[in-house]
């Protein structure tokens, strides 16, 4: 065990984490030149295009030290986005050390700090690395000062590297061996292993990735997952190179994979503990169920495609256990699913994967968050979409989720960010200067307000110089109301929204104006109304397309014209009663882009 090192890489999006991992694999000959490509650990097209890690990976590196001793380095890759912070925390729990990677051209960003705090909470040894030192805009000395201020290390402990050219890679490998402690654990104790990830293979079922803390796991052994309390047989165990390598046993301190033929993604939970079925050990602390934060409806464009969409959702869930969905019907859109996502990026990725991997074009309704309503008799009602909102007469109060948002930017953009966050019902908690050119702002604000377009707006207000990170801090009482959109008096349920009372009138007015532009004109007048309960807060009319029925009258008595117009008026009234208004797909998407 003293020759094993388990480590991960912490970095903000686009600071060169995947590129650095590529160089580590290449310089230790873990991967042959033929297998080498950019972002080798990111195997989804989406990851390569967006330049982010969505699904974390693990790979074992064999490193021969200068003194001739061979070491086993387990790199446990972590996703870089805020939506996947629970997965990051479990991956960190499986390590003893972390490389803190900072881009020399951009300096420390919000995501780096939040993942660093997670690593410090897990008592990991931190090795600071400044990446991209070969770039023209590299500010090496400034970034060094930022790191020293943040983690209090000595200047000589900071390593300089370039993932692209391979500068400093040998020094990083040396530091991993010297500074990161070897795993501690008892090889003779009962089995105790932490699940930090799982992937789905269509031939083998769910493959579980784990790190063994105590004991060892052997092929053919009976094992048990604590949180689901289910027993399995270990059909195959082994270590993770670029491809899986089967072994007879995986020992204490090592990272490996396990195949038991599980076909249901819900049976494997990230953060769960694997123990011996005959002699079970205790569970590892820190396990929690992943809770979806953002909810949206996903509907097929053609209602006939519903069964096909259901199959696709099942397959997606095998790959991504944090996606939750249930059946939902809508008057406007037919049958579909109510889906729970970890955050907005997660929602975008699921949509993209449905389109790419399964050729499904889907309509996504307005995303909203999960509220908690309290009834007058003390009952607690979770509200995940507007139709679940209880009657106001039977409701005592409603609570909405709040987040702590951390924004790091240049001092000249403080005013813009203040205006944006205070306009989104945020409260400034703290403002501190990390250096003369970087300021950190901490706000508490409702999650509802950042669900739409907060991130895009933040980027445009600061010309891309702000980095943003958030984490949930619980529920607080709030004045949330349900706003319905009525077309000729009929509710369109897919356009309903749960919104704060102070924002409802403004939101309703904008939405009605947008719908007036988008809905096609009919031969009768259409009234678009936004209503809270029975009170209409905004209204727009789409005037009727009118056929000139008096064109055939040349002069003559006015009563002839009036008779024709009265007849037309009657026809319009009847048409309005039986006519229904078709809502085009753009209207549902327009809700997301209201402030454009």
């Amino acid at each position: 065990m003293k020759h094993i090192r388990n480590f991960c890489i912490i970095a903000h999006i686009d600071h060169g984490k995947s590129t650095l991992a590529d160089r580590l694999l290449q310089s230790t000959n873990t991967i042959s030149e033929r297998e080498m490509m950019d972002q080798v650990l990111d195997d989804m097209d989406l990851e390569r295009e967006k330049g982010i890690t969505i699904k974390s990976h693990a790979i074992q590196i064999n490193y021969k030290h200068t003194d001739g001793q061979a070491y086993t380095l387990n790199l446990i890759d972590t996703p870089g986005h805020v939506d996947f912070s629970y997965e990051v925390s479990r991956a960190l729990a499986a390590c003893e050390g972390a490389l803190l990677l900072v881009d020399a051209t951009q300096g420390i960003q919000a995501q780096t700090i939040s993942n660093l705090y997670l690593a410090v909470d897990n008592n990991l040894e931190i090795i600071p690395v400044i990446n991209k030192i070969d770039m023209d805009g590299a500010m090496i000395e400034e970034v060094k000062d930022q790191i020293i201020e943040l983690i209090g290390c000595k200047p000589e402990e900071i390593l300089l590297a370039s993932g692209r050219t391979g500068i400093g890679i040998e020094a990083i490998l040396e530091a991993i061996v010297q500074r990161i402690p070897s795993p501690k654990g008892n090889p003779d104790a009962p089995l105790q292993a932490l699940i930090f990830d799982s992937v789905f293979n269509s031939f083998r079922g769910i493959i579980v990735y784990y790190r063994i803390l105590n004991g060892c796991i052997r092929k053919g052994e009976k094992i048990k997952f604590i949180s689901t309390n289910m027993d399995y047989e270990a059909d195959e165990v082994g270590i993770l190179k670029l491809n899986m390598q089967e072994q007879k046993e995986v020992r204490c301190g090592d990272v490996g994979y396990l195949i038991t033929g599980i076909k249901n993604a819900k049976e494997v939970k990230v953060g769960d503990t694997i123990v011996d079925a005959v002699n079970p050990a205790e569970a590892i602390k820190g396990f929690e169920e992943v809770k979806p934060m953002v909810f949206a409806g996903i509907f097929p464009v053609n209602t006939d495609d519903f069964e096909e969409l259901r199959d696709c959702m099942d397959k997606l869930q095998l790959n991504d256990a944090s996606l939750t969905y249930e059946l939902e019907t809508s008057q406007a859109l037919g049958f579909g699913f109510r889906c729970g996502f970890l955050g907005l990026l997660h929602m975008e990725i699921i949509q993209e994967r449905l389109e790419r991997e399964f050729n499904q074009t889907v309509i996504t309704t307005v995303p909203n968050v999960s509220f908690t309503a309290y009834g007058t008799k003390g009952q607690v009602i979770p509200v995940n979409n507007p139709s679940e909102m209880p009657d106001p007469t039977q409701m005592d109060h409603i609570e909405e989720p709040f987040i702590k948002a951390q924004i790091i930017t240049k001092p000249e953009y403080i005013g813009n960010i203040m205006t944006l966050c205070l306009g989104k019902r945020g409260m400034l908690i703290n403002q501190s200067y990390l250096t003369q050119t970087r300021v950190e702002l901490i706000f508490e604000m409702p999650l509802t307000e950042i669900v739409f377009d907060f991130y895009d707006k933040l980027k445009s207000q600061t010309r891309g110089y702000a980095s943003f990170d958030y984490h949930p801090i619980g529920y607080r009482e709030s004045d949330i109301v349900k706003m319905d959109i009525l077309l000729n008096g009929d509710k369109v349920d897919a356009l309903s929204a749960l919104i704060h009372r102070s924002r409802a009138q403004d939101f309703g007015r904008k939405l009605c104006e947008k719908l007036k532009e988008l809905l096609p004109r009919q031969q009768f007048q259409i009234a678009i109304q936004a209503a809270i309960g029975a009170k209409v807060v905004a209204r727009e009319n789409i005037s009727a397309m009118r056929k000139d029925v008096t064109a055939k009258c040349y002069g003559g008595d006015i009563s002839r014209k009036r008779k024709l117009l009265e007849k037309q008026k009657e026809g319009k009234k009847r048409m309005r009663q039986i006519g229904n208004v078709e809502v085009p797909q753009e209207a549902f998407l327009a809700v997301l882009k209201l402030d454009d």
Side-chain angles (χ1 to χ4, degrees), residues 47-292:
E47 293 182 305
R48 294 218 165 84
E49 275 170 38
K50 289 181 182 282
I52 56 175
T53 301
I54 296 166
K55 194 89 185 101
S56 55
H57 290 263
I59 190 162
Q60 192 174 92
I61 300 169
N62 293 337
Y63 170 59
K64 215 171 177 64
H65 196 260
T66 42
D67 59 10
Q69 178 62 53
Y71 285 88
T72 301
L73 313 180
N74 289 311
L75 165 59
I76 297 172
D77 197 8
T78 56
H81 198 273
V82 52
D83 287 358
F84 308 109
S85 60
Y86 175 66
E87 279 187 34
V88 175
S89 77
R90 295 298 82 206
L92 293 176
C95 300
E96 276 84 30
L99 299 180
L100 173 70
L101 196 64
V102 182
D103 186 331
T105 60
Q106 293 181 10
I108 285 173
Q109 308 263 301
Q111 187 67 52
T112 322
I113 293 182
S114 75
N115 281 354
L116 175 69
Y117 289 157
L118 276 176
V120 171
D121 288 348
N122 280 305
N123 297 323
L124 299 197
E125 179 64 40
I126 309 289
I127 300 176
V129 179
I130 298 178
N131 193 22
K132 304 191 186 180
I133 56 165
D134 58 324
M135 299 275 279
D136 294 341
M139 312 172 291
I140 296 170
E141 291 309 315
E142 282 179 44
V143 177
K144 263 190 184 176
D145 294 344
Q146 288 175 21
I147 293 174
I148 291 165
E149 219 163 298
L150 183 67
I151 60 174
C153 62
K154 297 188 181 75
E156 58 272 16
E157 288 176 6
I158 300 172
L159 305 176
L160 303 181
S162 162
R164 194 166 57 96
T165 57
I167 303 167
I169 296 298
E170 197 53 47
I172 293 175
L173 288 164
E174 182 78 27
I176 290 168
V177 168
Q178 299 294 348
R179 295 197 216 168
I180 294 176
S182 58
K184 291 171 179 59
N186 181 357
D188 304 320
L191 170 67
Q192 198 183 28
L194 170 75
I195 298 176
F196 63 84
D197 198 12
S198 64
V199 292
F200 179 73
N201 178 309
S202 44
F203 303 110
R204 314 293 307 267
I206 306 266
I207 300 170
V208 179
Y209 293 170
Y210 56 85
R211 147 80 200 274
I212 298 186
L213 300 185
N214 288 309
C216 79
I217 191 165
R218 294 182 183 85
K219 185 176 177 172
E221 211 170 40
K222 270 259 189 263
I223 51 146
K224 178 178 177 179
F225 291 178
I226 285 190
S227 78
T228 54
N229 203 16
M230 294 175 84
D231 293 7
Y232 304 98
E233 189 172 310
D235 296 341
E236 187 183 311
V237 296
I239 54 167
L240 296 150
K241 294 285 192 177
L242 189 58
N243 301 314
M244 297 181 294
Q245 282 188 6
E246 193 176 346
Q247 307 274 336
K248 285 202 168 62
E249 62 175 21
V250 179
R251 295 196 183 93
C252 181
D254 228 329
V255 172
Y257 73 90
L258 163 73
I259 297 175
T260 57
I262 302 171
K263 289 284 191 285
N264 183 358
K266 291 191 175 69
E267 290 177 33
V268 179
K269 296 181 182 343
V270 171
D272 197 0
T273 310
I274 306 174
V275 293
D276 192 328
V278 185
N279 182 11
E282 286 183 0
I284 298 161
K285 290 186 179 66
F287 172 70
E288 52 185 75
E289 294 280 349
V290 179
K291 291 191 190 74

